[in-house]
Amino acid sequence: MPSQLSAADFLSLRMQYKNTQTEEEWPAAIEHDFADGRMVDHYFVVPAPSLLEDPAVKDLGEVVGLLFLQQPDGAPWQVLLHETSMVRDVTFEMPEEEFRRLLENNHLILPGEPGFQMP
């Protein structure tokens, strides 16, 4: 199992404004720091086939949620995938530059960060 994820492990990421989840999307949350504190935002993410085929993810079974959790001092983000009962999860690391590439690839800026505008 790879211990790190990259932007290439996700085909898309979009903000969750309405419950318009497509069949291939997973609900996701991004917990991140910004100038005034900490925020949690909700998204839908489409995993790439490489992530779906990862043995640890396959062993987890049905994934019902994913959390991107920012760590202090520029440490890699923690990415937690949860299964149906929310008892088990699989955790990966994602370097800051890869997380930012994922945002950039999907034309996203996190709420609270410079340049953010509501769509």
Side-chain angles (χ1 to χ4, degrees), residues 87-105:
V87 173
R88 291 182 47 223
D89 63 43
V90 173
T91 303
F92 295 94
E93 289 188 344
M94 187 171 200
E96 175 74 20
E97 58 273 6
E98 287 297 320
F99 179 78
R100 295 296 168 175
R101 185 171 294 120
L102 174 62
L103 293 175
E104 183 180 306
N105 290 349

Side-chain angles (χ1 to χ4, degrees), residues 9-56:
D9 289 307
F10 301 96
L11 301 179
S12 69
L13 176 70
R14 67 180 178 93
M15 291 195 88
Q16 186 182 131
Y17 291 115
K18 299 178 182 178
N19 193 15
T20 57
Q21 180 178 355
T22 65
E23 188 174 316
E24 68 273 2
E25 289 178 317
W26 291 346
I30 297 176
E31 184 173 329
H32 61 96
D33 296 326
F34 69 112
D36 294 330
R38 195 151 177 92
M39 188 180 292
V40 176
D41 310 302
H42 298 275
Y43 295 82
F44 288 119
V45 65
V46 176
S50 57
L51 183 57
L52 294 172
E53 292 300 318
D54 182 278

Side-chain angles (χ1 to χ4, degrees), residues 57-78:
V57 175
K58 286 178 88 168
D59 185 54
L60 194 57
E62 182 183 357
V63 174
V64 295
L66 186 147
L67 172 64
F68 294 94
L69 182 59
Q70 187 175 26
Q71 301 299 300
D73 303 320
W77 288 65
Q78 296 294 300

